[in-house]
Structure formats: structure tokens, C-alpha cells
């Protein structure tokens, strides 16, 4: 079977990768392409080279499900150095300001953190992928240009200081997609009057998935060398355990694969569901019909459902 046919017929899978500090998210995507022999590969949320932790990698038809991961909260642990601000808001940048670090206790740090909890307006870092006039902000920043980036609304569900050993503060947080941990560090430093930047960052969770269940690139490489890399993959359905899962077969499954509506009992509070075949592969994303609660329309049909 040619690579193109193999791509078209692959049911889709997800690798939970524990990205180390150093490589980019795209570096990991490139590695997964090499390990699997497939080109349709994408990641579920960029991690900076400085950051480590959970990086879901979608393969084959599963890449079409990537966008549905967006609403899930993401958890991070980050170490922040007070007293120095950098142009990138992390330790990979150039120091642009230095100030003495005030004597702070946990109550004072917590009071400052309170300003960054809940729904907040956050300005992304200058070195980010935010585009202005079609150009990524980091490209303009590298060229020495200052880019005016509009604030965006993000949600910080949880934010606590787990350790304070001045000038370092370690934070644990749960945030919405689109939240920049580097911006929280920058703004906390400004609130404390001394500047700050991130020195270490790790993504620990996305939704119900944990970095503790992820595989290192070394483990994936070893499995690939043994011809057993797919044993480390999970079904994309496992990323969405809270969604309704409709296990379909026979004519109902065939109708879904043809893009046709089916009848299925409604699920309170849900207007989307996953159609699952007998092999636990996702056949389609279903959308409840607006006029009939018991009618479901395919929103996305995966090639090998």
C-alpha cells in the first residue's frame, strides 16, 4: 500500500508525548512523522522550546479532531525569577530591566496573584505567534520592531504559589487555551514592582490527560525501532471522555460514513457526540439537529471511520 493510501485509510490515533525542554513542538511533530511513516500529523497546543510536558500529537484522520481540544483547561507548573524582565518574558531572552526584589511573604504574593485569577485581559508577549498584518509578532520582535498586540480575554481557573524562595516563585495554574504563562510572569513582576520572567515551565495536564501518562521521545523512538510504536498510541476518543460516545454499527455506521443523518437518543446538555465504531475508532463528530433532538448530523467524517 502506498503512503498516500495508508494515510487515507488510517483510522487516526493520538500520541501523548512528554516533550523535554529544548525541542520545539514542530520538532516533535517531525519525529512522529518519522516514527509512524505518516505525513498527516499535528500537535494539540504549542509548547515553547523552554517548556516541557504534555504535548498531544494527532496522527492521520485524528488531526481533524484537534480543534475540539481547545475548550479544555490546561495545567502548568512554572518557576519565575523576580527582579529581571526580559524581552521574551522567559530566560531565553535578553534582560531589559533589573530591580531589587522586595522582601515578600506568601500573603503578599497571594494578594498580587489575585489580580490574575478568573477572567482577565491579557496582552500576549512580544515574542509570540500572534499575527499583525499577517506577520507573526515574534518575527517583528526579532527584527527589532515593537508590535502593538491587543489584549485578549482569557480565564485563569486556578493560580497558586506552591513555593517561595526569593528571588524565585513557583506557580501552579489551570488556564484556558490562549493564556500565556510568560505573560502571567511578566505581569506579576510588574505588579510586584520588580519585573520577572519564566525560567522553567511544564504542562502537566490537558483536560483529563496527564503528563504522567505521556511517553518520552526516547521511549517512542525505542518502540519505533522495534516496530511497535502504535502500541503507545491511544484512541482519539480517549481525549474526550466527557463527550457522549455513540457506539454504532451496521446501517447507522454506514449512513454516518456517507455523511447522512441518523436517529439516536439525545443527551442532556450536549449538542455534539462522537460516533465510535467496533474497533473504538472515531468514525465522526456528530452534531445534534436543531429541529429534532433525536436526530444527529455528521459534522466531520473521519476517513477510516
Amino acid at each position: 500500500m502506498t503512503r498516500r493510501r495508508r494515510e487515507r485509510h488510517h483510522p487516526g490515533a493520538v500520541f501523548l508525548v512528554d516533550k523535554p525542554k529544548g525541542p520545539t513542538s514542530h520538532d516533535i511533530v517531525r519525529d512522529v512523522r518519522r516514527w509512524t511513516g505518516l505525513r498527516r500529523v499535528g500537535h494539540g497546543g504549542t509548547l515553547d522550546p523552554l517548556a516541557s510536558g504534555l504535548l498531544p500529537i494527532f496522527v492521520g484522520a485524528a488531526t481533524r479532531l484537534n480543534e475540539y481540544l481547545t475548550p479544555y483547561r490546561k495545567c502548568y507548573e512554572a518557576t519565575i525569577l523576580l527582579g529581571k524582565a526580559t524581552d521574551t518574558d522567559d530566560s531565553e531572552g535578553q534582560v531589559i530591566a533589573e530591580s531589587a526584589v522586595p522582601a515578600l511573604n506568601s500573603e503578599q504574593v497571594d494578594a498580587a496573584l489575585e489580580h490574575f485569577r478568573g477572567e482577565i485581559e491579557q496582552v500576549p508577549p512580544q515574542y509570540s505567534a500572534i499575527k499583525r498584518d499577517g506577520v507573526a509578532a515574534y518575527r517583528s520582535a526579532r527584527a527589532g520592531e515593537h508590535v502593538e498586540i491587543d489584549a485578549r480575554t482569557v480565564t485563569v481557573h486556578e493560580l497558586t504559589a506552591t513555593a517561595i524562595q526569593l528571588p524565585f516563585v513557583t506557580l501552579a495554574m489551570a488556564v484556558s487555551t490562549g493564556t500565556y504563562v510568560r505573560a502571567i510572569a511578566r505581569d506579576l513582576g510588574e505588579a510586584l514592582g520588580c519585573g520577572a520572567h519564566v525560567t522553567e515551565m511544564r504542562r502537566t495536564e490537558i483536560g483529563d490527560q496527564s503528563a504522567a501518562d505521556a511517553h518520552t521521545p526516547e521511549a517512542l523512538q525505542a518502540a519505533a525501532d522495534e516496530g511497535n510504536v502504535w502500541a503507545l498510541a491511544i484512541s482519539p476518543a480517549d481525549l474526550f471522555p466527557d463527550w457522549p460516545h455513540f457506539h454504532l454499527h451496521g446501517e447507522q455506521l454506514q449512513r454516518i460514513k456517507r455523511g447522512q443523518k441518523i436517529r439516536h437518543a439525545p443527551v442532556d446538555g450536549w449538542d455534539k457526540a462522537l460516533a465510535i465504531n467496533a474497533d473504538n475508532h472515531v468514525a465522526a463528530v456528530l452534531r445534534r439537529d436543531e429541529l429534532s433532538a433525536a436526530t444527529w448530523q455528521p459534522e466531520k467524517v473521519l476517513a477510516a471511520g
Side-chain angles (χ1 to χ4, degrees):
M1 183 182 292
T2 66
R3 181 179 63 78
R4 182 170 295 182
R5 290 188 63 197
R6 193 164 63 245
E7 293 261 359
R8 187 167 63 248
H9 291 278
H10 195 278
V14 174
F15 290 94
L16 299 180
V17 180
D18 188 350
K19 188 189 92 67
K21 181 178 177 179
T24 66
S25 296
H26 189 266
D27 289 337
I28 301 299
V29 167
R30 182 197 60 208
D31 289 340
V32 173
R33 284 177 178 149
R34 176 166 50 83
W35 296 328
T36 62
L38 301 181
R39 299 299 302 170
R40 292 179 65 189
V41 179
H43 62 74
T46 302
L47 281 176
D48 294 334
L50 173 77
S52 66
L54 181 60
L55 183 67
I57 301 291
F58 293 76
V59 178
T63 56
R64 302 190 65 202
L65 302 176
N66 196 330
E67 66 179 274
Y68 299 106
L69 201 60
T70 298
Y72 290 90
R73 66 172 63 185
K74 297 175 171 63
C75 297
Y76 296 88
E77 296 172 349
T79 299
I80 293 172
L81 174 61
L82 301 179
K84 293 182 179 181
T86 69
D87 55 1
T88 60
D89 301 322
D90 63 26
S91 57
E92 296 191 332
Q94 299 295 316
V95 175
I96 56 176
E98 294 189 55
S99 298
V101 178
L104 297 166
N105 57 37
S106 58
E107 290 77 15
Q108 290 170 312
V109 172
D110 188 67
L113 291 175
E114 182 60 30
H115 297 290
F116 308 108
R117 296 183 179 121
E119 190 175 275
I120 64 172
E121 295 296 307
Q122 184 185 75
V123 177
Q126 283 285 301
Y127 282 78
S128 66
I130 303 297
K131 289 188 176 181
R132 292 300 302 269
D133 300 323
V135 179
Y138 71 85
R139 294 188 183 277
S140 298
R142 286 174 181 168
E145 303 173 14
H146 178 80
V147 180
E148 290 296 331
I149 303 177
D150 295 332
R152 53 175 54 189
T153 302
V154 299
T155 302
V156 179
H157 302 283
E158 300 173 14
L159 179 61
T160 58
T162 57
I164 300 174
Q165 294 181 315
L166 297 178
F168 294 97
V169 175
T170 302
L171 302 178
M173 64 191 77
V175 301
S176 66
T177 295
T179 305
Y180 281 87
V181 176
R182 288 180 289 141
I184 290 177
R186 176 200 67 206
D187 295 343
L188 175 62
E190 291 178 359
L192 294 172
C194 60
H197 66 271
V198 171
T199 61
E200 299 282 345
M201 181 169 67
R202 180 169 177 79
R203 184 156 65 199
T204 57
E205 296 177 15
I206 300 178
D208 288 345
Q209 303 301 321
S210 170
D213 299 319
H215 303 284
T216 64
E218 291 78 11
L220 288 161
Q221 178 67 67
D225 291 343
E226 296 172 358
N228 199 34
V229 72
W230 293 108
L232 302 186
I234 64 173
S235 167
D238 295 340
L239 288 181
F240 310 100
D242 51 331
W243 283 44
H245 289 188
F246 297 167
H247 294 270
L248 305 180
H249 54 85
E251 180 59 23
Q252 275 199 315
L253 182 60
Q254 293 307 311
R255 288 183 62 83
I256 288 300
K257 293 172 68 174
R258 293 194 295 265
Q260 298 173 329
K261 296 179 181 180
I262 63 167
R263 300 281 294 176
H264 196 286
V267 179
D268 288 344
W270 286 92
D271 62 0
K272 284 187 172 60
L274 294 179
I276 310 295
N277 69 12
D279 295 322
N280 198 37
H281 296 143
V282 177
V285 175
L286 305 179
R287 181 180 68 253
R288 190 177 64 188
D289 192 284
E290 293 181 358
L291 301 179
S292 174
T295 300
W296 297 80
Q297 171 72 45
E299 182 172 278
K300 286 189 179 181
V301 177
L302 276 64

